[in-house]
Amino acid sequence: MENILTPKIDNPSDNTKAAIKQMSYELVDLENENSLLRAILASSSNPILITSAETKILYVNQAWENLTGYSFEEVKESNPRFLQSGRTQKKIYKKLWSALNQNQSFSTEEVIDKRKDGTEYQVYSTFFPVLKDGKVFYFVQIQHDITKRKQLEELRKEFLSASAHELKTPITMLKLLSQAHMAKAMRSKDNSVNLKDLELIDRELNRLTRIIDDILDSSRFETGKLYLRLEQVDLMKLIKTLLKKVRVVAKDHTIVITQSNDKFYVIADQERIEQVLLNLISNAVKYSPEKTTITITLKNINNHAVISVADHGIGIPKGKQSLIFDRYYQVKAKEKKGFGLGLYIAKEIIKHHKGKMWVDSIVGKGSTFYFSLPLIET
Ligand code: ADP
């Protein structure tokens, strides 16, 4: 049978014959390569979609058909925008097209698309243009289906927040009960009730309440449901008032504040800023030896109030310093001095106030935690 890949030329020279032979080998190779690539695309478990430069669908693989519920015949030549659910952040498409227009590849964050039956699915996608002589020929999109993972994440968030809420009522009841017993024991001087035990129960209940509040806060950040009661706040006044209360409980440390004549007014949720400071001070107490000093400083740097809490404690290794702001991260989890949520929450609160939080620390010498808040003119 005639080889259709071999062109017909009358009286070819030896060189031409050799060149034709080479060319036909290469064409056969190309055909083989083509079918190899097709086999790889077809069998990939990642959904893949290829469009022309004009974004008309030219190819989808089986995994894509399974994910979307559409067959290739149904979508051939159409623009893939019919998949959009309208729930993907607009900025993702903007970034995508600005990269593709510069002939660069782009990996998206979560894209939410919809199937043929109207249900939604979520993917991470990598897009890249295929170029020939500097011109786009195809756009290739390789997807990674994250729908199941997202559903599990949602379930985890809901479970955590619902169970934390459920725990609040019985704990409040127990607390009221223990306080009533403590009051009774103090009044009646009844020795059969051990006041120390009741105080221990009360302390542990307070600890449990704090952990539950932290879990609830953390799920508020995840779901974007943190509400701030913003007002004008005098930071120096806030710190001084807070320190009066803190010194009563943190008796084993000396807590000082470096005075400044500057005015520090910010727009903030007073309670939330107190929560951040309290967290930093209680960490400084937890992670530094008794009788050492904790210093709080307030400075104006580039129209930002920068508050620092410095201790002479165990310090944090360089490699761990960025990790301590992650959820549940603890440098030495075994010590169980906390739950690993405090700094995560503190940093999120400060971010919600358009500020920053960071740390400077030397192992064995101590740590200084900083946060900044934009100052306002008064
Ligand atoms: P925890 O409830 O464990 O204290 P945090 O989120 O407040 O959680 O802190 C995370 C981790 O960072 C702590 O477990 C501890 O290892 C480290 N850390 C925080 N503050 C200090 C500090 N002042 N000195 C040394 N280590 C600290």
Side-chain angles (χ1 to χ4, degrees):
M1 198 176 129
E2 190 184 6
N3 184 350
I4 55 158
L5 294 173
T6 313
K8 270 198 158 152
I9 298 174
D10 294 332
N11 302 321
S13 70
D14 281 352
N15 275 352
T16 315
K17 270 188 204 159
I20 289 171
K21 204 169 173 188
Q22 180 62 27
M23 210 163 86
S24 61
Y25 281 147
E26 279 173 8
L27 282 169
V28 172
D29 274 354
L30 207 67
E31 274 239 315
N32 287 341
E33 237 171 62
N34 241 327
S35 41
L36 180 70
L37 282 177
R38 276 190 170 271
I40 293 172
L41 289 174
S43 61
S44 161
S45 58
N46 285 101
I48 296 172
L49 176 137
I50 301 175
T51 71
S52 62
E54 297 76 34
T55 58
K56 296 249 166 69
I57 296 178
L58 300 177
Y59 175 86
V60 296
N61 69 352
Q62 185 66 50
W64 188 92
E65 291 182 332
N66 295 345
L67 174 68
T68 62
Y70 288 105
S71 69
F72 175 59
E73 286 308 316
E74 288 172 295
V75 299
K76 189 165 70 175
E77 295 285 313
S78 30
N79 184 310
R81 78 164 71 90
F82 68 89
L83 293 161
Q84 292 178 6
S85 67
R87 293 215 306 126
T88 305
Q89 291 181 20
K90 296 255 179 323
K91 65 171 189 214
I92 292 184
Y93 294 119
K94 260 196 187 161
K95 282 195 228 165
L96 166 68
W97 279 108
S98 109
L100 291 181
N101 285 335
Q102 293 171 56
N103 295 344
Q104 283 167 359
S105 64
F106 184 76
S107 292
T108 65
E109 294 141 61
E110 293 153 27
V111 169
I112 308 170
D113 279 344
K114 62 176 193 300
R115 298 186 180 85
K116 188 179 172 184
D117 64 10
T119 55
E120 290 180 349
Y121 62 93
Q122 300 191 41
V123 284
Y124 286 146
S125 282
T126 300
F127 291 80
F128 57 90
V130 177
L131 306 175
K132 213 169 155 190
D133 302 326
K135 258 184 68 189
V136 174
F137 252 66
Y138 306 113
F139 289 115
V140 179
Q141 180 188 1
I142 302 177
Q143 299 178 326
H144 184 72
D145 184 8
I146 53 163
T147 315
K148 280 225 170 67
R149 208 183 79 198
K150 283 277 153 192
Q151 282 166 346
L152 279 175
E153 246 175 55
E154 280 309 309
L155 218 62
R156 178 188 60 78
K157 278 186 219 163
E158 274 167 32
F159 173 77
L160 210 62
S161 144
S163 41
H165 268 295
E166 284 301 312
L167 285 169
K168 279 208 94 147
T169 319
I171 287 172
T172 313
M173 291 302 292
L174 286 172
K175 218 175 135 46
L176 287 174
L177 214 64
S178 81
Q179 280 170 350
H181 276 290
M182 266 199 293
K184 202 165 138 200
M186 280 193 271
R187 268 201 314 272
S188 66
K189 297 193 180 86
D190 176 357
N191 288 338
S192 66
V193 185
N194 190 339
L195 201 59
K196 281 225 164 69
D197 285 352
L198 285 173
E199 278 169 359
L200 183 69
I201 293 175
D202 195 58
R203 256 206 321 277
E204 288 305 303
L205 285 173
N206 282 344
R207 207 162 83 90
L208 210 53
T209 311
R210 273 200 305 278
I211 292 176
I212 290 170
D213 285 341
D214 279 359
I215 293 175
L216 284 172
D217 268 353
S218 145
S219 73
R220 277 185 198 114
F221 294 125
E222 281 191 310
T223 50
K225 284 185 189 146
L226 179 85
Y227 301 112
L228 296 177
R229 248 174 279 132
L230 295 176
E231 56 185 327
Q232 183 171 311
V233 176
D234 177 346
L235 275 180
M236 190 52 101
K237 195 167 150 208
L238 179 149
I239 296 174
K240 282 184 179 164
T241 318
L242 187 73
L243 279 193
K244 272 190 200 148
K245 291 187 232 163
V246 171
R247 283 190 185 116
V248 179
V249 270
K251 289 192 193 105
D252 299 326
H253 289 76
T254 311
I255 306 179
V256 296
I257 171 164
T258 48
Q259 295 281 353
S260 156
N261 292 327
D262 284 345
K263 290 268 174 246
F264 295 92
Y265 284 102
V266 292
I267 297 293
D269 183 324
Q270 175 141 341
E271 269 183 37
R272 290 292 183 180
I273 300 301
E274 273 178 14
Q275 182 184 350
V276 171
L277 257 171
L278 210 53
N279 183 274
L280 296 183
I281 298 171
S282 90
N283 275 351
V285 168
K286 272 195 289 187
Y287 301 106
S288 68
E290 291 176 5
K291 304 218 161 38
T292 53
T293 302
I294 295 164
T295 310
I296 297 167
T297 310
L298 191 48
K299 278 188 184 157
N300 177 344
I301 300 176
N302 296 334
N303 285 330
H304 281 70
V306 177
I307 298 127
S308 60
V309 178
D311 65 52
H312 297 280
I314 58 172
I316 304 157
K318 275 269 171 286
K320 307 277 162 86
Q321 288 177 14
S322 59
L323 300 173
I324 56 172
F325 297 101
D326 288 352
R327 243 184 316 163
Y328 306 117
Y329 188 85
Q330 297 179 294
V331 176
K332 282 190 186 140
K334 275 193 208 125
E335 281 181 12
K336 276 284 159 243
K337 284 194 170 182
F339 202 58
L341 275 175
L343 285 178
Y344 163 74
I345 291 170
K347 191 164 184 169
E348 284 296 321
I349 291 175
I350 296 304
K351 262 204 260 171
H352 277 72
H353 282 84
K354 299 191 173 64
K356 290 202 172 100
M357 179 172 276
W358 67 100
V359 64
D360 249 350
S361 184
I362 299 174
V363 173
K365 288 245 157 87
S367 311
T368 304
F369 282 83
Y370 300 86
F371 66 91
S372 66
L373 292 170
L375 283 166
I376 52 158
E377 305 244 337
T378 50

